[in-house]
Amino acid sequence: MSKLFRTFLLNLPILTDTIFILYFNFYYTYKVVSDRWIGSETILPVNFRHLILPEKNPPPTELLDLQPLPISALRSAAFETLYREMSQFNPIQTQVFNAVYNSDENVFVGSPPGSGKTLIAEFSILRMFSSPAGRNGEDHCVYISPREVNHNHVNL
């Protein structure tokens, strides 16, 4: 007689109320019933006494107290003329400048409206234009914006 083993996966949503219940009860009880054998069932207590949950909201990256970068950090006279009305970048732009303009790493910038995210996106576009493939027209860039105002703003 061969034994047949079944594996099943249970997903338990952990909500604030559930954590309160787990604190006092420490376990859930699952009842497993066979659909092929009458009277074949078992009850499984699952202990949550030593459950370690991740932080509810991970802390955001702190804004460092950096000296604002001047526009000359772009190291290109042609690029600097695009921003001639500015003398320096704001604190958020200064903090992400090296990651966006001087590296090929992926970057996610989440900041409030009006904090300069469009200009940060332009840093990566300018980096592409300054690469050999970008100068030869071999690189391509797709700029997606949720606001129509930004579509008309970028003319490079």
Side-chain angles (χ1 to χ4, degrees):
M1 179 181 250
S2 67
K3 292 185 178 183
L4 181 64
F5 291 96
R6 300 277 182 191
T7 303
F8 61 96
L9 175 68
L10 300 172
N11 290 324
L12 176 66
I14 303 293
L15 306 171
T16 307
D17 297 338
T18 308
I19 295 170
F20 182 75
I21 292 168
L22 292 176
Y23 182 76
F24 290 104
N25 293 334
F26 300 111
Y27 65 91
Y28 272 123
T29 304
Y30 290 100
K31 184 175 185 179
V32 181
V33 180
S34 173
D35 61 347
R36 296 181 185 212
W37 298 93
I38 297 175
S40 178
E41 63 183 51
T42 187
I43 296 175
L44 301 169
V46 179
N47 188 347
F48 289 103
R49 180 177 296 257
H50 301 290
L51 179 69
I52 299 172
L53 296 173
E55 291 184 34
K56 188 171 182 179
N57 292 318
T61 304
E62 290 184 26
L63 189 59
L64 302 175
D65 187 22
L66 301 172
Q67 288 288 97
L69 275 177
I71 302 302
S72 60
L74 293 169
R75 299 182 311 271
S76 169
F79 295 163
E80 290 172 27
T81 58
L82 296 171
Y83 307 107
R84 61 181 164 264
E85 69 276 355
M86 299 171 57
S87 61
Q88 60 192 18
F89 298 121
N90 72 24
I92 294 173
Q93 295 161 348
T94 298
Q95 185 162 335
V96 301
F97 182 82
N98 281 326
V100 176
Y101 191 74
N102 294 324
S103 77
D104 291 327
E105 297 298 319
N106 293 325
V107 177
F108 173 79
V109 178
S111 61
S115 60
K117 293 184 296 291
T118 301
L119 188 66
I120 293 169
E122 291 174 5
F123 291 162
S124 60
I125 295 170
L126 295 175
R127 175 173 171 73
M128 184 200 68
F129 286 149
S130 63
S131 71
R135 286 191 296 267
N136 296 336
E138 298 169 6
D139 273 351
H140 296 82
C141 176
V142 176
Y143 179 77
I144 300 173
S145 170
R147 297 176 53 195
E148 189 174 339
V149 173
N150 292 346
H151 295 284
N152 298 330
H153 175 71
V154 179
N155 293 317
L156 300 174

